[in-house]
Amino acid sequence: MPLLHPSNNTGCRFYDSNTGIDLVLDGCSAQASITDVHAFVTLSQNFINVHAPSGALGVYTFPLIADAVVCGFEMVRGDGSKVEGVAKEKEEAKREYGSAVSEGYTAGLGQQETGDIFSVSVGNVLLAETVTINLRYVQPLMDDEKNDQIKFTFPRTYAQRYGFAPTINTAVGRTTQQPFQMHFVIQQAGVIRSISCPSGHPISLELGAPDGIIPQEPQHHFASVSLTDHTGFLTRDIVLVITAAGLDAPRCFIEPHSSLNHETTAVALTFVPKFNLPDIQGGMEYVFLVDRSGSMHGTKMQLVREALIVLLRGLPTSGTTFNIFSFGTTASKLWDSSRLYSQSTLDEATNHIDSMQANYHGTEIASGLQFVYDSFPKPLQRPVAVFLLTDGSAWDVSTCVEYTLSARLALPEPDNARSFIRVFTLGIGSGASSDTCDSIARAGNGIAAYVKEGEPIAGKCARLVRAARTPEVKVEVEWGVGSEERDGNLVDIDDDFELVETSSSAASPKLAAGLINLFDPDSDMDNQLSTGPPPKPNPTLPPLPLIQQSPSAEIPSILPGTRTQIYAIIRTPKSEEPFDRVVKQIKVNGIVTSTGDHVQLVVPVSRSLSSSVSISDPTTSFINEYPFIHTLAAKALIRDREQGKHSFPPSVSALFTPTPGEQGDHTDKLELKAAYLEKDIIRLGTQYNLASRYTSFVAVDYSSQSQRVQTPRVPVLGALIPQSRVPGIPSPAMQMSTLWMAPSPYYLQLQQCQPQKQHLYPTPTPIAMLQLPAPLPIQYTDDAASKKTQYHRRRCFNCLTAESPSWRRSTLNPGEIVCNKCGLLERTHPRPRPDFSSIRSARHSHSTLSARPLDRKAGRRLSRASVIPQAELASPSRFHDALSLCHRNSSLLTNRFRLHTILRRL
């Protein structure tokens, strides 16, 4: 994979994977339903093939928020047929997609490239056909400046990043401009106070329930927001900030699964802690690690300066030491060691911040983190908080996570609650990698925040500092069902899974201890010893536990002012009482590690907030009743598995967990643990129909046999074959004249050919002998709600024309569409445009003679018999006669134009 450097070009790319040619993404639209602190988004992308006559293989990459999970994939063909995608194991989905494309079927593949980049592949899109991919995903919302504010972010671009790209599809990104529109329906349990768009996009806002909806809540709990970008050049991330009453209140929603095949109940516990704890005795050390690579130039560097000033002025006044590190290709620090926080050191740091420039070249985040971790004493004598300010423009996320986890384990002093290190990240600018920032903060037991141009930053920076100076608070959740305490550990009461090892020695008894039969007729000497590398572990997963919780038993520290979300999937058989009848409240118990004080929170249980609004587009088959909380809980469980956390019973975890004091290589155990985690992720992805690191969506249209692309991929007349695919055959060997040859470097190979023994490739049959299939009829409509496809065309309601550079909605006839001329006349003069058909027919009858070609040498007009019929021009013999006639008589301008038009059509 090539080594990429961050550049100014950010965005998405839609291209043909065979030729590398950029294809047309004919518009993009999204509909979002924001309920409480979660969002449900349906993204529709229209792919059109205008380049490849043999069927395009388009690949489109685009960004998503790292915590978002794709839970639906649908492909809609140009004729209106729909194919629902199914989540399968990643390699299996790729094989099915590749097999379908090679056989000529139209297919779609949706897969996760990285934690925040998704790709959609569409194979065998017919020429001039539009294929719509409807993608559905769910994402939790972020906190904003205040506790009663949440922020929805819809990324439009992703920045090209430094390092080795993990996949081919993410290696090259460029901006794809296309018209875009988005519609939000917002529903909150409290009163909606305000809605703003800090990203600067033009929006229209309407408070109250949308038309045609009977709300279950008061009108002031609803709002509608619309955004339309006709130009397609607004590539900034869309940010929507919602202020509503009660968003910071503790609440616990439950959701019984709507399917009969799932006897589970999902629980979502969310709260914003409000408590005051004294600062850690003896003070803390604060280290600021600043990204000064080339990708941080311009407004990003200005945001870094502003954020650093706010962060420095929010540090505790007593017992605080701090230092500033900078990194890029190399790393440096302001002082050799951290200095005491005072006015003089603050002024010196401020002058250093004002002089910062983005002149450190490449973005090597892992090296910068390692440089900071190596500067700390081992073990740590006091708590440390590291603030990383970056746009995340680096692919090597796994190394950053590995270095951070190692530092958290190796640096603190054992059995010392006042010796710990936490890492916080601040994502800078539009296109910042949420995967990079969230992963590093999660590994460092901290939190991540994001600032963009036009947004206030004081509240976000103050929340980071308040979280950093708070002692660690470890908590656990009592769900109230199916658990009891055994040997000091909380375990499931039905955890009776036992791993049974089968022994080959038990099948055939030995003669005696130490005695081997020198002639054993049952011995297979050929298969006794295995050769080659050991096979990949293929373990058998244990049954699902009664409670699957995320975060797992090791819940990160609770931080004041920072939203905490805990999910669980609990098995609730249909024969038992409903969960909300058995459990009325959820308890959160914890302890402050530095002081030993206990904390507690009791939250009542309620049914999930049901959406009164259907966001499904009429062109999709997505249902409105969807297991919303189940999807979020499954995504959280998958994220835990990707970080190595699990909920396997002790009998399984003992297989891959090294015993205390065990020496030697643990590679086998690590591989076994990775195999267990991978299979568990695949089980979650396929069970809840989610895309993940090991699962992908695949959709194949096996129904349209008539439109199936032939194998090899050739259209009706032929296929363009690159010269590189014709081994050892020069152009004369194709025995084609320039009349039948396509522009270099492609040859046009006709489909219906008679094989010749003396030639490696068949000789083309003349075009006149080819039997063309009857085209499908094209239907015309004047309905304004209709969409243009390969079989549907628009027609003016007034003048009945089907050709217009643009179309308008009729003001005199609502719901109808008119051409540009008729529409302009209706707007300027409230009346329909007159019918000029009779005038045109009269003019045509008077101009018939003048329309005939002129023979300037003879000084007369040619008769109609002199004009060569179009049908005769299709004959090869007649074609050469017509060509020589045109060259002999340069006055036959009309015939020459008609001739070249026919050639282009052929």
Side-chain angles (χ1 to χ4, degrees):
M1 201 67 63
L3 181 67
L4 301 178
H5 297 266
S7 61
N8 298 335
N9 296 330
T10 62
C12 315
R13 190 188 182 199
F14 177 40
Y15 66 98
D16 191 331
S17 60
N18 281 342
T19 63
I21 300 175
D22 286 343
L23 302 178
V24 177
L25 182 63
D26 188 24
C28 182
S29 63
Q31 299 186 44
S33 175
I34 298 178
T35 305
D36 198 55
V37 294
H38 305 98
F40 182 97
V41 183
T42 300
L43 179 63
S44 298
Q45 302 158 333
N46 301 324
F47 303 88
I48 183 171
N49 176 18
V50 296
H51 295 285
S54 58
L57 296 178
V59 179
Y60 179 56
T61 57
F62 56 95
L64 291 175
I65 296 298
D67 285 338
V69 52
V70 177
C71 54
F73 185 90
E74 184 186 56
M75 180 176 65
V76 183
R77 297 288 304 274
D79 57 359
S81 59
K82 304 174 184 178
V83 181
E84 185 77 19
V86 179
K88 297 184 178 181
E89 192 272 330
K90 196 164 204 174
E91 295 303 323
E92 179 184 355
K94 286 183 179 180
R95 287 193 298 268
E96 182 175 348
Y97 171 77
S99 175
V101 169
S102 63
E103 294 177 5
Y105 295 103
T106 300
L109 177 69
Q111 57 184 350
Q112 174 184 307
E113 301 291 342
T114 66
D116 57 354
I117 298 179
F118 200 82
S119 71
V120 173
S121 303
V122 185
N124 289 334
V125 182
L126 302 178
L127 184 63
E129 181 187 17
T130 299
V131 173
T132 301
I133 298 295
N134 296 314
L135 207 68
R136 177 179 55 184
Y137 65 90
V138 179
Q139 72 178 59
L141 303 186
M142 307 177 185
D143 294 332
D144 203 58
E145 284 287 295
K146 302 178 181 179
N147 291 338
D148 59 350
Q149 289 182 338
I150 52 175
K151 180 171 67 174
F152 171 83
T153 302
F154 184 84
R156 296 292 306 276
T157 61
Y158 69 91
Q160 190 51 258
R161 304 171 189 175
Y162 183 84
F164 293 92
T167 63
I168 297 177
N169 294 337
T170 57
V172 180
R174 64 185 67 178
T175 303
T176 299
Q177 280 83 22
Q178 75 277 346
F180 177 81
Q181 58 183 359
M182 192 167 191
H183 182 68
F184 301 85
V185 176
I186 303 170
Q187 178 184 3
Q188 294 294 329
V191 178
I192 297 178
R193 296 171 179 168
S194 66
I195 298 176
S196 61
C197 183
S199 56
H201 292 83
I203 62 173
S204 60
L205 171 63
E206 181 180 354
L207 294 177
D211 296 336
I213 298 298
I214 301 177
Q216 300 176 1
E217 302 289 340
Q219 289 284 343
H220 47 266
H221 292 205
F222 288 85
S224 300
V225 178
S226 296
L227 181 149
T228 302
D229 175 19
H230 295 287
T231 63
F233 284 90
L234 296 179
T235 56
R236 299 188 305 273
D237 295 350
I238 298 173
V239 179
L240 208 65
V241 176
I242 303 167
T243 305
L247 280 176
D248 55 345
R251 50 200 179 277
C252 181
F253 293 119
I254 66 169
E255 176 194 71
H257 202 287
S258 57
S259 175
L260 297 178
N261 298 326
H262 292 264
E263 295 185 343
T264 57
T265 298
V267 186
L269 173 63
T270 175
F271 59 95
V272 179
K274 291 183 180 180
F275 59 89
N276 293 319
L277 291 176
D279 290 340
I280 298 177
Q281 188 176 3
M284 289 183 60
E285 180 179 358
Y286 298 88
V287 173
F288 301 92
L289 180 60
V290 183
D291 184 354
R292 295 175 59 180
S293 61
S295 63
M296 297 291 294
H297 73 285
T299 57
K300 291 184 179 180
M301 207 65 223
Q302 182 61 31
L303 283 174
V304 167
R305 299 189 193 100
E306 295 176 5
L308 278 174
I309 296 299
V310 176
L311 290 171
L312 284 175
R313 279 160 173 74
L315 297 180
T317 55
S318 60
T320 297
T321 58
F322 73 102
N323 202 350
I324 300 177
F325 288 69
S326 301
F327 76 93
T329 304
T330 59
S332 63
K333 51 187 176 180
L334 176 59
W335 301 303
D336 291 336
S337 60
S338 296
R339 296 188 179 182
L340 189 65
Y341 184 65
S342 64
Q343 186 62 46
S344 59
T345 55
L346 180 61
D347 293 340
E348 185 178 354
T350 302
N351 294 332
H352 176 69
I353 293 171
D354 292 337
S355 64
M356 283 185 174
Q357 300 294 331
N359 53 2
Y360 275 44
H361 308 293
T363 311
E364 298 187 8
I365 303 178
S367 300
L369 288 171
Q370 189 65 36
F371 183 64
V372 170
Y373 299 150
D374 291 341
S375 66
F376 296 136
K378 184 179 180 182
L380 294 175
Q381 301 302 320
R382 59 195 321 210
V384 175
V386 178
F387 295 90
L388 171 64
L389 291 80
T390 179
D391 60 356
S393 295
W395 292 116
D396 197 7
V397 181
S398 59
T399 305
C400 299
V401 171
E402 180 183 351
Y403 288 169
T404 303
L405 290 175
S406 300
R408 282 193 58 212
L409 293 176
L411 291 178
E413 184 179 358
D415 302 327
N416 185 359
R418 293 185 175 88
S419 176
F420 61 86
I421 179 174
R422 287 187 294 203
V423 182
F424 303 84
T425 57
L426 186 63
I428 304 296
S430 293
S433 172
S434 57
D435 181 34
T436 302
C437 297
D438 287 356
S439 298
I440 295 175
R442 198 175 290 117
N445 201 20
I447 59 174
Y450 298 87
V451 295
K452 296 180 173 60
E453 296 83 0
E455 293 184 12
I457 64 175
K460 301 181 182 68
C461 295
R463 187 168 66 248
L464 287 178
V465 174
R466 184 168 56 249
R469 59 190 294 184
T470 301
E472 286 192 318
V473 180
K474 296 189 177 298
V475 299
E476 62 180 16
V477 181
E478 294 182 7
W479 301 106
V481 292
S483 59
E484 65 179 14
E485 191 170 345
R486 296 178 184 173
D487 300 330
N489 297 321
L490 197 66
V491 297
D492 297 336
I493 59 176
D494 62 343
D495 182 17
D496 55 356
F497 177 77
E498 181 179 357
L499 188 69
V500 178
E501 297 286 348
T502 60
S503 176
S504 59
S505 60
S508 57
K510 295 183 180 180
L511 296 177
L515 182 61
I516 300 176
N517 189 354
L518 293 180
F519 185 79
D520 185 358
D522 297 329
S523 176
D524 188 359
M525 294 184 296
D526 295 332
N527 298 327
Q528 185 175 3
L529 298 176
S530 59
T531 59
K536 180 181 178 180
N538 186 22
T540 300
L541 290 178
L544 292 173
L546 178 64
I547 301 176
Q548 300 180 81
Q549 174 186 308
S550 176
S552 58
E554 192 176 316
I555 299 177
S557 178
I558 301 298
L559 303 173
T562 300
R563 184 175 303 279
T564 299
Q565 294 185 358
I566 303 174
Y567 300 96
I569 298 179
I570 303 174
R571 281 195 283 113
T572 53
K574 303 292 184 183
S575 58
E576 298 181 0
E577 286 281 338
F579 182 82
D580 54 346
R581 293 184 182 179
V582 177
V583 179
K584 299 296 182 180
Q585 60 186 16
I586 301 296
K587 291 184 180 180
V588 180
N589 299 316
I591 186 172
V592 182
T593 57
S594 59
T595 62
D597 296 331
H598 291 272
V599 296
Q600 188 180 61
L601 177 66
V602 179
V603 184
V605 172
S606 61
R607 288 272 177 164
S608 60
L609 188 63
S610 60
S611 176
S612 303
V613 183
S614 173
I615 66 168
S616 298
D617 189 84
T619 60
T620 68
S621 63
F622 295 150
I623 59 175
N624 188 38
E625 294 295 331
Y626 188 80
F628 198 83
I629 300 180
H630 277 83
T631 301
L632 291 168
K635 166 62 178 178
L637 291 170
I638 290 176
R639 184 181 58 213
D640 286 349
R641 305 301 180 265
E642 292 174 346
Q643 297 174 354
K645 302 175 183 178
H646 60 84
S647 58
F648 297 133
S651 56
V652 173
S653 59
L655 298 177
F656 50 74
T657 303
T659 58
E662 181 180 354
Q663 303 294 330
D665 189 10
H666 304 309
T667 304
D668 294 342
K669 292 189 175 183
L670 294 177
E671 291 181 354
L672 182 60
K673 181 180 180 181
Y676 268 104
L677 295 174
E678 178 181 342
K679 296 196 72 173
D680 203 16
I681 292 175
I682 294 174
R683 178 169 63 179
L684 287 167
T686 55
Q687 182 178 4
Y688 294 99
N689 209 38
L690 308 178
S692 66
R693 181 184 298 179
Y694 301 113
T695 55
S696 300
F697 280 96
V698 61
V700 181
D701 185 9
Y702 291 109
S703 61
S704 56
Q705 295 289 342
S706 59
Q707 299 182 14
R708 176 179 169 187
V709 178
Q710 301 297 323
T711 305
R713 296 171 56 240
V714 292
V716 176
L717 289 180
L720 295 179
I721 301 179
Q723 293 182 5
S724 60
R725 299 188 184 180
V726 186
I729 303 296
S731 56
M734 298 297 293
Q735 297 189 357
M736 299 171 116
S737 64
T738 57
L739 176 64
W740 309 107
M741 187 176 294
S744 179
Y746 295 93
Y747 294 110
L748 181 63
Q749 182 188 29
L750 301 179
Q751 178 183 351
Q752 298 186 6
C753 304
Q754 298 296 331
Q756 304 292 334
K757 294 183 179 180
Q758 63 273 24
H759 298 296
L760 181 61
Y761 285 87
T763 304
T765 302
I767 293 181
M769 299 177 60
L770 294 177
Q771 300 295 326
L772 301 179
L776 296 177
I778 296 178
Q779 298 180 358
Y780 294 91
T781 179
D782 50 21
D783 186 6
S786 63
K787 295 183 178 180
K788 182 180 178 182
T789 65
Q790 59 178 344
Y791 304 115
H792 296 82
R793 298 288 187 272
R794 290 174 174 172
R795 180 175 56 187
C796 179
F797 177 76
N798 183 50
C799 66
L800 303 182
T801 181
E803 297 181 359
S804 177
S806 60
W807 300 91
R808 297 176 178 268
R809 294 180 181 270
S810 176
T811 57
L812 302 178
N813 302 280
E816 306 295 343
I817 196 167
V818 293
C819 65
N820 187 45
K821 294 180 180 180
C822 295
L824 288 175
L825 189 64
E826 287 185 2
R827 291 178 181 272
T828 56
H829 305 79
R831 58 185 177 85
R833 181 165 165 260
D835 184 13
F836 294 97
S837 58
S838 58
I839 302 176
R840 292 193 186 96
S841 60
R843 290 180 179 177
H844 180 71
S845 62
H846 290 292
S847 60
T848 302
L849 180 62
S850 61
R852 298 173 187 173
L854 177 65
D855 187 352
R856 295 182 179 179
K857 292 183 178 180
R860 61 182 177 83
R861 297 189 180 276
L862 297 178
S863 64
R864 289 188 177 272
S866 302
V867 180
I868 302 174
Q870 181 174 350
E872 294 184 9
L873 287 178
S875 170
S877 58
R878 224 19 210 153
F879 172 82
H880 289 288
D881 296 339
L883 185 63
S884 59
L885 175 63
C886 288
H887 283 288
R888 288 197 308 269
N889 191 351
S890 60
S891 65
L892 297 180
L893 301 178
T894 303
N895 276 351
R896 293 179 64 187
F897 174 77
R898 293 178 62 194
L899 178 64
H900 287 287
T901 302
I902 294 172
L903 282 178
R904 287 196 297 270
R905 293 178 180 177
L906 296 178

